[in-house]
Amino acid sequence: MSLLTENNRQYYEGAQGFRGDGTTTKFTTTFDTDLKWYAAERTDESYGKNNFKLYTSANGIPGSWSEVVADYTVSGNTIEFTTAPVDDLYIVVQLKKLDGGEYGNNTTEKAFGSIVEDNYGSYAYTELNDVINNFLVAYVGAGKLIPSVKRSDIIFHAKRAMQEFSYDTLKSVNSQELTVPHNLSVVLPQDYVNYVNFYWVDDQGVQHVIMPTNNLTSSPYSVPLQDDQGVPTQDNFDNNITGTSIIEDRWNSNYMKDNVIDDTIAGWEYYYGWPEFGYGQLFGLDTQYANSNGYFTINDREGKISFSANLVDKIVIFEYISDGLSTNLKTKVPKLAEEAMYAYISHAVIASRINQPEYIVQRLKREASAKLRNAKIRLSNLKINEIVQVMRGKSKWIKH
Amino acid sequence: MAINVDTVYKTVLLILNKEQRGYITPDEFNKTATQVQLDIFEQYFDDLNQQLRVPQADFDYADRQMNIDEKISYFKVQGNCDYNTTGSYWNLPTTAVGNLNLNIIYDNSPLGNGEAYFYRLGTVTYIPLTGYPVELQRLQRSDFYTIDKSPLTRPTEDFPCYLYEGNRLLIKPTSISSGSTVEASMIRKPLDINWAFQANGPGGSYIWDSSNSQNFELEQSEQVNVILRILQYSGIVIRDPQVIQAASAEVAQNEANKKG
């Protein structure tokens, strides 16, 4: 059976057509995406939450379509009209699309959204739901290595696999484009687990790496107010009184504040970080600070990222990893890592079970490890012609 | 499918009456036959469990797991559960469809026509509006509470779970409630055996009344087993140890062949 269930029009255009026959009132869509329906009337505030729009036309000619905004309900993926559409009436369900689709006559009628685009490229992935179900079908049962197992155990191990793989195997690097405000701090993303890279972007759209402060400075986790003996003081509720960090204030108002990074050209000949203290200078260079692009630090106390003062008002790109589970079980697993996930779950189930022969546990452990390695290699996206292109510069000096 | 009750009764009488050993009345037969049917029926589940631990031959008619499941399958029924809004729980189906359309009885009230007693709960399934039916995971009460505490295992509509107590189903997540469709598959209890008769034969003898009788619901392949086991009980009824011994030896040998 083919794994592709959508036709070309459904995939590319995000639309599916039907014809009225004067008697049929129910029409069922077969998109990979389930219909989400909240209201039929445009005047209803929930109408905008629908993930599709419905159009009809008497002849199907462009410009003749009109949006249906009443007299229908949706149950599951089935649209039911109150009265049967007349014979030969053209009916189209248009999932929301960045360009609004082809059927609306104006911006009000067009189906603006990104439902269609969310589905593009989805064939490279499988849902975590499906991984769990596939595992239960293929690996669990009488006569198999796992005769029976609680489904919740499989769900747990599958989600843990998703988390572990997200940290170092899957291409689950998220990114945000942010502007550094005048308080030099931005809030950590909701699904943040760890950072990968920070860049500031110049007028040409070119990225420049921002480095962590390392030992230059840090943000204290707590800032208790002290009395003249150095002892933290308490409030009426017997809790420590906390203040603002002096360290952070000093860092935010240091010399870099007056040396905002040039927007057009950022090169080594321009100002390096802190010349007065010798950080990043040409002589006596400490390479970890040899960076003209500014610094960032993670402020765990406030759950924020703080940037050095020379990055104020700059556009920064923040790449970070999540654990792949921030949304729901529709979480996508790359097919290139699917086998590794089965192996991980198999090993986790057998290893946590009593009275299992150790050689079986070890066999599964090796299998899981080998398949994880395969997945990493596959997902690292090494292409021979790209490597060749990189290696053409092999005679150059390696500078870092 | 079913074993004819008249065939069994007459075979039993034939064997018992050899050498004028004795006779069992239709009432005695009905009671012992019902007992035997339940005895064999209950043993299916233990046998199935035993066979599930043994590798099977994937060969027609020789797969013991399949054979036992086939014997049980006659009693499998399925129905829709009803949601109790006040108590926020689901009642097991009161009507079920299987080889017969039956009303399922959960207490000890006498059975009427088209009724059968509930025996065991099988799979509980949630039918979402879109997508495929989802099997609910059965949990014990302790797990039912702890499963919610881990964000990784918390039940969802994709992977729901239930607690089964007092013929009620408590289902999580609670979004599966009024308006949702939940189905349950069950095993019903075999109907009681009845060799019905009319005493209008020659000399007032009993004539079998097929229309009011209830056949054995066990598979035809169990006929020998049924007769032997009824003979065991009949030997007790007529106080003849020889019958008991002979029948027991035959039953034991058959069992050994089945599971060896």
Side-chain angles (χ1 to χ4, degrees):
Chain A
M1 192 189 83
S2 166
L3 292 181
L4 283 178
T5 53
E6 286 187 317
N7 60 33
N8 295 152
R9 185 187 182 195
Q10 286 174 315
Y11 178 77
Y12 291 106
E13 197 187 321
Q16 183 173 359
F18 303 95
R19 295 291 290 275
D21 60 6
T23 55
T24 307
T25 55
K26 290 183 178 180
F27 301 89
T28 303
T29 59
T30 54
F31 295 108
D32 283 348
T33 309
D34 288 334
L35 298 184
K36 285 186 180 164
W37 179 78
Y38 297 88
E41 294 82 16
R42 197 185 287 149
T43 49
D44 192 312
E45 61 181 11
S46 299
Y47 183 72
K49 287 158 64 176
N50 296 353
N51 69 349
F52 69 97
K53 283 197 174 184
L54 193 58
Y55 302 95
T56 56
S57 163
N59 49 30
I61 297 171
S64 67
W65 295 91
S66 57
E67 186 183 353
V68 181
V69 288
D71 300 331
Y72 74 93
T73 57
V74 178
S75 175
N77 290 326
T78 301
I79 297 167
E80 183 172 12
F81 290 89
T82 313
T83 53
V86 296
D87 197 19
D88 281 344
L89 184 74
Y90 289 79
I91 305 161
V92 160
V93 180
Q94 170 70 60
L95 296 179
K96 290 191 172 175
K97 205 163 175 249
L98 285 177
D99 65 5
E102 299 175 1
Y103 302 96
N105 296 313
N106 50 51
T107 51
T108 309
E109 287 189 354
K110 279 186 176 292
F112 288 110
S114 61
I115 305 300
V116 176
E117 284 75 10
D118 288 346
N119 189 43
Y120 287 161
S122 60
Y123 194 69
Y125 299 90
T126 188
E127 287 180 7
L128 191 59
N129 259 346
D130 293 333
V131 169
I132 294 165
N133 289 327
N134 290 346
F135 187 87
L136 286 166
V137 169
Y139 289 82
V140 181
K144 295 176 182 169
L145 201 55
I146 306 171
S148 70
V149 63
K150 282 184 182 173
R151 195 180 56 198
S152 48
D153 287 356
I154 301 293
I155 295 170
F156 174 81
H157 291 306
K159 287 185 176 179
R160 285 292 303 125
M162 190 69 202
Q163 288 179 314
E164 289 297 324
F165 287 16
S166 294
Y167 302 145
D168 58 7
T169 307
L170 306 181
K171 292 188 293 182
S172 60
V173 177
N174 300 317
S175 60
Q176 284 188 342
E177 179 182 316
L178 303 164
T179 302
V180 179
H182 281 253
N183 66 3
L184 301 174
S185 293
V186 294
V187 178
L188 287 170
Q190 202 170 0
D191 56 347
Y192 169 86
V193 170
N194 202 348
Y195 69 85
V196 175
N197 261 320
F198 282 89
Y199 304 95
W200 72 272
V201 181
D202 63 27
D203 287 349
Q204 305 299 311
V206 176
Q207 296 179 154
H208 303 264
V209 180
I210 306 171
M211 299 303 285
T213 54
N214 289 341
N215 297 326
L216 272 181
T217 190
S218 64
S219 298
Y221 192 75
S222 78
V223 190
L225 285 185
Q226 297 161 288
D227 62 15
D228 55 359
Q229 300 298 308
V231 179
T233 54
Q234 285 78 39
D235 59 17
N236 293 339
F237 303 104
D238 300 336
N239 297 320
N240 279 351
I241 302 170
T242 55
T244 54
S245 168
I246 296 169
I247 299 172
E248 287 169 15
D249 285 345
R250 287 181 180 175
W251 174 257
N252 289 343
S253 56
N254 63 19
Y255 295 109
M256 284 188 283
K257 189 176 180 181
D258 303 320
N259 293 285
V260 175
I261 293 169
D262 185 87
D263 278 342
T264 52
I265 305 168
W268 65 270
E269 69 271 24
Y270 280 81
Y271 200 82
Y272 278 131
W274 280 32
E276 285 78 3
F277 295 95
Y279 296 121
Q281 283 190 334
L282 284 175
F283 302 100
L285 186 78
D286 187 346
T287 52
Q288 67 173 317
Y289 306 120
N291 167 37
S292 64
N293 295 315
Y295 305 94
F296 72 89
T297 182
I298 303 294
N299 184 340
D300 289 318
R301 187 179 80 254
E302 296 179 1
K304 290 178 178 174
I305 313 150
S306 300
F307 296 91
S308 54
N310 56 348
L311 287 167
V312 68
D313 289 334
K314 290 286 168 286
I315 304 295
V316 294
I317 289 278
F318 170 32
E319 291 181 350
Y320 65 97
I321 50 173
S322 186
D323 65 357
L325 294 179
S326 54
T327 50
N328 54 25
L329 283 170
K330 306 281 184 210
T331 301
K332 290 173 175 178
V333 181
K335 284 181 176 169
L336 298 178
E338 194 177 340
E339 190 62 26
M341 195 159 275
Y342 296 140
Y344 178 99
I345 300 170
S346 280
H347 170 251
V349 169
I350 293 292
S352 60
R353 185 167 283 189
I354 196 169
N355 289 337
Q356 290 300 310
E358 190 55 26
Y359 62 90
I360 296 283
V361 178
Q362 288 305 316
R363 191 189 87 195
L364 292 175
K365 186 177 180 180
R366 281 195 297 274
E367 197 175 312
S369 171
K371 286 179 176 171
L372 179 63
R373 197 180 310 122
N374 275 352
K376 279 184 186 175
I377 293 168
R378 290 166 172 177
L379 290 167
S380 59
N381 215 18
L382 295 170
K383 311 286 186 214
I384 189 70
N385 58 338
E386 291 171 15
I387 293 174
V388 167
Q389 187 66 17
V390 172
M391 295 306 286
R392 281 185 178 132
K394 67 181 185 297
S395 61
K396 291 180 179 173
W397 286 14
I398 297 171
K399 291 169 185 159
H400 60 272
Chain B
M1 181 68 195
I3 305 169
N4 187 292
V5 66
D6 188 49
T7 308
V8 174
Y9 184 44
K10 286 180 177 159
T11 310
V12 168
L13 286 182
L14 176 78
I15 296 169
L16 280 183
N17 264 327
K18 189 170 168 52
E19 298 171 5
Q20 302 296 313
R21 286 175 189 275
Y23 174 80
I24 62 169
T25 64
D27 184 52
E28 288 168 343
F29 172 79
N30 288 342
K31 287 191 167 66
T32 52
T34 300
Q35 170 76 4
V36 163
Q37 179 167 249
L38 285 178
D39 197 12
I40 294 172
F41 181 65
E42 177 57 33
Q43 201 175 342
Y44 286 158
F45 303 98
D46 293 326
D47 287 349
L48 185 58
N49 181 284
Q50 198 175 349
Q51 292 302 332
L52 283 171
R53 285 174 274 157
V54 181
Q56 298 296 315
D58 184 15
F59 198 88
D60 283 353
Y61 316 118
D63 189 326
R64 287 172 174 163
Q65 289 169 10
M66 296 282 283
N67 289 347
I68 297 172
D69 186 62
E70 202 172 300
K71 290 174 181 175
I72 296 172
S73 65
Y74 185 81
F75 302 96
K76 290 178 181 175
V77 292
Q78 190 166 16
N80 283 338
C81 300
D82 301 316
Y83 187 69
N84 183 310
T85 313
T86 316
S88 303
Y89 60 79
W90 292 80
N91 288 311
L92 289 180
T94 49
T95 58
V97 180
N99 58 328
L100 303 167
N101 291 339
L102 295 164
N103 294 326
I104 303 297
I105 307 299
Y106 293 91
D107 56 21
N108 292 325
S109 56
L111 289 184
N113 276 339
E115 292 182 337
Y117 289 119
F118 168 78
Y119 197 72
R120 284 216 166 96
L121 179 63
T123 303
V124 181
T125 316
Y126 164 58
I127 317 289
L129 284 174
T130 59
Y132 297 102
V134 181
E135 182 188 341
L136 279 80
Q137 183 187 358
R138 186 164 169 176
L139 296 176
Q140 296 303 309
R141 186 164 275 279
S142 57
D143 291 335
F144 197 63
Y145 293 133
T146 51
I147 199 167
D148 262 344
K149 292 179 182 166
S150 163
L152 294 185
T153 60
R154 196 166 293 151
T156 61
E157 285 195 26
D158 289 316
F159 295 108
C161 65
Y162 73 97
L163 174 68
Y164 173 48
E165 284 179 352
N167 291 338
R168 293 170 176 180
L169 306 173
L170 291 167
I171 292 179
K172 283 182 182 174
T174 50
S175 57
I176 299 175
S177 58
S178 181
S180 305
T181 305
V182 172
E183 290 181 353
S185 69
M186 301 172 292
I187 301 283
R188 68 171 174 84
K189 191 179 169 185
L191 298 172
D192 289 354
I193 305 300
N194 184 21
W195 189 85
F197 60 91
Q198 290 175 352
N200 56 4
S205 60
Y206 298 154
I207 300 295
W208 181 46
D209 178 1
S210 62
S211 58
N212 289 318
S213 290
Q214 174 60 52
N215 287 325
F216 288 85
E217 293 190 287
L218 300 177
E219 219 182 34
Q220 288 281 0
S221 63
E222 294 287 8
Q223 183 167 331
V224 173
N225 195 16
V226 165
I227 292 172
L228 286 172
R229 284 173 188 260
I230 293 175
L231 280 172
Q232 273 184 317
Y233 284 111
S234 303
I236 296 169
V237 173
I238 64 171
R239 297 185 182 182
D240 187 336
Q242 274 189 325
V243 174
I244 302 171
Q245 280 171 10
S248 300
E250 189 70 20
V251 168
Q253 192 177 343
N254 287 349
E255 283 291 312
N257 283 342
K258 276 184 189 172
K259 295 176 184 173

